[in-house]
Amino acid sequence: MNGKEEKDLGKLLARRKVLLGAGAAAGAAAVAAMPASAATRSRDEQKWDMETDVICVGSGAAACSAAVTAVASGAKVVVVEKLPMAGGTTGKSGGVTWIPNNRFIAAKNMQDNRADCLRYMARYSHPECYDVNSPTLGLAPEAYRLLEAFYDNGSKMVEWMEEIGATKFREFKVWDVNIFPPDYGDHLAENKANNVRALEPAVGAGSTTGGNSLAYQLEQWLTQHKVPFLLEHRAVGLIKDGERVVGLEVRNKDKTLRIRARKGVIFGTGGYAHNLELVRLHQPGVYGACAAVGSTGDFISIAQQAGAKMGSLGTAWRTPVILEDALNNRAIGHGVFFAPGDSMIHVNKYGKRVVNEKRNYNDRTRAHFGFDPVNAEYPNQFMFMVFDDRTLNRYAGALPLPQDKRESKWLIEGRDSRELADNIRRRLTSLSAAVGNYRIVDNFAENLDATIERFNRFAEAGRDEDFDRGLHDYDRQWQKVFSPVSKKNTYADNDKPNSTMYPIDRKGSLYAVILAPGALDTNGGPAINENGQVLAANGKPIPGLYGAGNCIASPSGPAYLGAGGTIGLALTFGYLAGRHAAAQKA
């Protein structure tokens, strides 16, 4: 990319940031309000408005990877996107891409052995059935084949994209701190190649620009190859000839177009994080999401009408969110990906810790859904991030810590545990319309004092005997990324044995922020096979119909394998779908 192209990229990224940020709530409401019809018709009944080989629905990593691959394989492609700008949720992301056995690993004289990597992915994705002695590691054969396809083709996808000039990658060294990031299951015995699978765009990388850059480069490659982008066109129904999908019905305002697809229709349209009906049905308790506002699960109803088999609908790429931020606007800008600070804990309604506060956002969020069968409740539905003046001052500005506490709308303060508890009760009462009857217990303050005293002993000794906080590489390395020291800091460095823990000072004020379960996006939907083909209820592929990305049942299930796990899967299965569709007879 030359100097002029880099300048053009910068301008485009700035425009994308504005369009993907401001006004998200209004956009989400408008999109979600549209009916999700999915009528199917015989090909003979249609008068085609357009014809092509492959239709790619969506414009993020999954759909554009499919489109690029199909075009480079000789197919004609049309891209359909319901929002006014291409990029989807990829455009809001950091653009990191988790790829097993990528070429950079071999260049370092290292290995990402196939059997070892499959064991890691299977163990993390499906711990409930993992069996190292099974030929499929305990997984259903179709689930195992998806992981095999990811391992076998992720690196090929990267080399293919670079060979055809669509985009280039480099090793991901975490922004600002310049470290190779540990995988999210870094400490699992099955993970033999930690720290080496994450990549990022070679140009335009950055925590707020990488996804924009990746999406832009794919879009530009397609534009240069004369691929039409039909923006503000929403897919509303598949057109079938018998069992085969032969086209797509799309709607632009009050105009309907029928587009023939001689080889296939590939959906890469995102999850359903902004469809309240689907969230309430399949994932109650998800309070907000970082996904682009177009993530309303359109493909689920469309695929159902075509007879698709559903995979899991209850999984997501999860993150804690600030409750009151999400209540203000479900389309949040950022989640609490890594809880900042060292003199900080998370407690539930009983004032007790229930999780290692430094683990990855996806797994940490799952702790919110623990059910108490005796009291018939979800005691961790909300968690209270409790901290002292040290963390508030030293790490000011690291979400959810404010730069200035006087400007924070969600900070709760108390001179001691009892006053903090009283103020938490008042805040929950004020939010009762949204949080129902969730309240902290009467002896919350006493329990919190005991919890802090126990945590402080652990901090002095350097070992968290309850949740192993700081024991593993992930906790310590990502602490450097998400707990930057404020320039206004007046507190000394952490001199305790464990860099993630420092005694909480109960002599000064205590603070709390209410955290709720949220998501980057959901990742449940129709089931696919190793070619990205959507499966029918009988388990056989629906001819001409494909899916990739967050709109289908994730090949890694609920597991976030490492930084870039979402985009790595999206790009790879988009590539597989595009390659398979392009090879079909017209």
Side-chain angles (χ1 to χ4, degrees):
M1 188 174 287
N2 59 38
K4 181 179 183 302
E5 289 173 328
E6 289 190 11
K7 288 182 180 178
D8 291 342
L9 173 61
K11 293 178 182 177
L12 192 281
L13 299 189
R15 180 168 174 253
R16 282 182 184 275
K17 185 175 181 181
V18 171
L19 291 178
L20 291 170
V31 171
M34 295 176 66
S37 121
T40 59
R41 296 178 174 84
S42 167
R43 178 177 61 182
D44 295 335
E45 298 174 355
Q46 301 303 321
K47 291 184 178 179
W48 303 109
D49 297 292
M50 296 178 67
E51 294 195 27
T52 189
D53 292 327
V54 177
I55 303 170
C56 292
V57 190
S59 61
C64 282
S65 173
V68 166
T69 303
V71 170
S73 300
K76 293 183 179 180
V77 174
V78 170
V79 175
V80 174
E81 168 58 57
K82 71 179 178 182
L83 293 181
M85 171 167 268
T89 299
T90 301
K92 294 185 66 178
S93 74
V96 182
T97 303
W98 195 89
I99 299 294
N101 198 35
N102 64 69
R103 66 179 178 83
F104 298 96
I105 298 174
K108 297 166 73 170
N109 294 318
M110 297 178 65
Q111 290 186 349
D112 190 6
N113 178 272
R114 186 179 191 270
D116 287 337
C117 188
L118 285 171
R119 280 192 284 267
Y120 168 61
M121 293 191 292
R123 158 72 175 82
Y124 204 7
S125 300
H126 302 281
E128 72 285 355
C129 58
Y130 176 69
D131 179 2
V132 70
N133 296 312
S134 162
T136 61
L137 300 176
L139 280 60
E142 57 272 21
Y144 184 70
R145 287 195 294 269
L146 292 178
L147 295 181
E148 286 186 306
F150 182 39
Y151 179 92
D152 292 340
N153 293 282
S155 58
K156 294 177 183 177
M157 177 276 299
V158 167
E159 293 170 15
W160 167 266
M161 291 294 175
E162 295 186 332
E163 180 182 337
I164 64 177
T167 187
K168 290 188 179 298
F169 296 91
R170 69 185 184 193
E171 292 180 282
F172 174 50
K173 295 184 95 173
V174 183
W175 318 288
D176 301 326
V177 298
N178 202 35
I179 60 171
F180 292 108
D183 290 335
Y184 291 1
D186 62 315
H187 60 291
L188 298 179
E190 292 81 4
N191 192 355
K192 307 295 186 184
N194 187 34
N195 300 83
V196 294
R197 300 182 180 109
L199 309 176
E200 67 180 347
V203 175
S207 60
T208 59
T209 60
N212 273 327
S213 176
L214 177 61
Y216 174 75
Q217 291 176 56
L218 296 174
E219 176 190 350
Q220 286 300 294
W221 189 95
L222 290 166
T223 300
Q224 290 164 9
H225 286 77
K226 311 300 182 186
V227 173
F229 273 71
L230 303 184
L231 301 178
E232 297 184 279
H233 284 69
R234 179 177 181 172
V236 294
L238 294 167
I239 302 169
K240 299 177 72 176
D241 182 13
E243 295 302 312
R244 182 175 184 82
V245 172
V246 296
L248 184 71
E249 185 174 273
V250 302
R251 193 166 297 148
N252 171 245
K253 298 178 181 176
D254 59 351
K255 183 178 180 181
T256 298
L257 296 177
R258 295 173 177 85
I259 309 173
R260 183 184 180 191
R262 291 182 286 265
K263 297 190 173 189
V265 178
I266 304 173
F267 275 78
T269 48
Y272 60 84
H274 296 307
N275 184 320
L276 288 178
E277 181 181 358
L278 289 176
V279 168
R280 287 168 182 156
L281 182 62
H282 299 292
Q283 304 205 49
V286 173
Y287 283 83
C290 304
V293 295
S295 298
T296 53
D298 300 2
F299 187 42
I300 291 176
S301 61
I302 290 174
Q304 284 175 325
Q305 296 261 351
K309 173 184 178 180
M310 288 296 119
S312 173
L313 289 170
T315 56
W317 309 117
R318 303 187 186 280
T319 180
V321 298
I322 301 166
L323 173 63
E324 289 159 279
D325 185 28
L327 292 178
N328 180 58
N329 183 354
R330 282 187 59 89
I332 60 173
H334 297 280
V336 183
F337 300 132
F338 191 97
D342 46 15
S343 52
M344 171 278 303
I345 55 175
H346 292 176
V347 298
N348 66 5
K349 66 181 289 184
Y350 292 96
K352 297 180 179 181
R353 291 178 70 210
V354 295
V355 70
N356 174 354
E357 296 88 350
K358 296 298 182 179
R359 291 313 293 172
N360 71 79
Y361 40 95
N362 185 67
D363 294 347
R364 199 169 77 249
T365 307
R366 296 174 73 181
H368 282 273
F369 297 98
F371 180 70
D372 178 353
V374 174
N375 294 307
E377 65 176 6
Y378 293 94
N380 313 332
Q381 178 179 346
F382 304 114
M383 291 196 209
F384 306 92
M385 177 176 162
V386 176
F387 49 96
D388 60 8
D389 278 308
R390 170 192 168 79
T391 281
L392 180 67
N393 174 286
R394 183 172 171 80
Y395 306 102
L399 197 75
L401 306 175
Q403 286 284 2
D404 186 332
K405 70 178 184 179
R406 295 169 296 183
E407 299 175 358
S408 175
K409 298 178 181 179
W410 47 71
L411 191 68
I412 304 171
E413 182 177 356
R415 288 171 295 182
D416 53 27
S417 295
R418 186 167 299 280
E419 184 172 89
L420 180 67
D422 289 341
N423 290 336
I424 289 174
R425 289 189 183 93
R426 292 189 185 95
R427 185 67 60 88
L428 288 172
T429 298
S430 72
L431 300 173
S432 58
V435 305
N437 63 358
Y438 189 95
R439 297 291 185 269
I440 60 175
V441 296
D442 291 343
N443 61 340
F444 179 91
E446 292 80 1
N447 290 346
L448 178 59
D449 277 330
T451 296
I452 290 175
E453 183 176 346
R454 181 174 177 83
F455 173 83
N456 287 355
R457 291 201 307 270
F458 295 161
E460 292 288 357
R463 175 65 193 272
D464 177 5
E465 296 178 14
D466 291 336
F467 301 106
D468 285 339
R469 173 164 147 181
L471 178 63
H472 302 296
D473 195 33
Y474 177 94
D475 299 18
R476 300 187 300 272
Q477 295 298 330
W478 286 99
Q479 168 92 356
K480 300 174 184 177
V481 181
F482 288 102
S483 292
V485 177
S486 169
K487 294 180 180 178
K488 298 179 181 179
N489 170 55
T490 58
Y491 284 81
D493 292 346
N494 188 332
D495 59 355
K496 304 304 177 185
N498 186 330
S499 63
T500 71
M501 302 173 68
Y502 195 89
I504 297 172
D505 181 9
R506 285 189 289 159
K507 296 178 182 178
S509 294
L510 290 175
Y511 306 89
V513 173
I514 307 174
L515 300 180
L520 282 72
D521 197 0
T522 62
N523 61 5
I528 63 166
N529 67 11
E530 58 272 23
N531 294 313
Q533 295 172 282
V534 175
L535 303 180
N538 62 6
K540 296 180 179 180
I542 297 175
L545 184 60
Y546 301 81
N550 293 343
C551 69
I552 52 94
S554 171
S556 71
Y560 210 132
L561 299 168
T566 62
I567 293 178
L569 288 166
L571 288 172
T572 301
F573 281 90
Y575 161 80
L576 289 169
R579 187 177 67 179
H580 193 273
Q584 302 308 299
K585 292 182 180 180

